[in-house]
Amino acid sequence: MPNIKSAIKRVKTGDKRRAHNATLKTAMRSAVKNFEVLVDNKDVENAQAAFVLASKKLDKAASKGIIHKNVASRQKSRLAKKLNSITA
């Protein structure tokens, strides 16, 4: 445990940041899984709405630095392919 006041503050802010990042990452994963469930059930209308939400969550996580921007782009591309497979 740090003794210096500034180091103590850095530990506290790191813990807060980690908790916040974890909530964003969990929400992102949940949105993606929800979309995939709708695709498996072939629910086109709800899947399209879920795709928009999942894309938004992925973009938000990428902009905050929680995931890399290329990872977000790749996942969005894969989700779009799944959506197109049930709409076509």
Side-chain angles (χ1 to χ4, degrees), residues 7-23:
I8 292 169
K9 182 178 178 184
R10 294 306 301 160
V11 169
K12 286 182 184 178
T13 57
D15 288 343
K16 283 182 189 174
R17 197 171 290 272
R18 191 177 316 106
H20 184 257
N21 288 345
T23 58

Side-chain angles (χ1 to χ4, degrees), residues 21 24-26 28-29 32 54-76:
N21 288 345
L24 291 177
K25 200 165 191 174
T26 302
M28 177 195 69
R29 287 178 181 154
V32 171
S55 295
K56 185 186 276 189
K57 297 277 186 184
L58 286 165
D59 286 336
K60 180 73 92 172
S63 69
K64 299 292 182 187
I66 296 170
I67 60 173
H68 195 273
K69 63 180 183 132
N70 292 353
V71 172
S73 180
R74 183 179 66 239
Q75 287 185 348
K76 283 170 41 180

Side-chain angles (χ1 to χ4, degrees), residues 32-86:
V32 171
K33 285 181 183 178
N34 183 33
F35 169 77
E36 289 174 344
V37 166
L38 291 170
V39 169
D40 289 342
N41 293 336
K42 299 195 185 311
D43 188 356
V44 177
E45 293 172 5
N46 290 332
Q48 287 174 338
F51 174 73
V52 171
L53 181 67
S55 295
K56 185 186 276 189
K57 297 277 186 184
L58 286 165
D59 286 336
K60 180 73 92 172
S63 69
K64 299 292 182 187
I66 296 170
I67 60 173
H68 195 273
K69 63 180 183 132
N70 292 353
V71 172
S73 180
R74 183 179 66 239
Q75 287 185 348
K76 283 170 41 180
S77 175
R78 288 177 179 171
L79 295 178
K81 280 176 70 173
K82 286 182 181 183
L83 182 63
N84 290 336
S85 71
I86 64 166

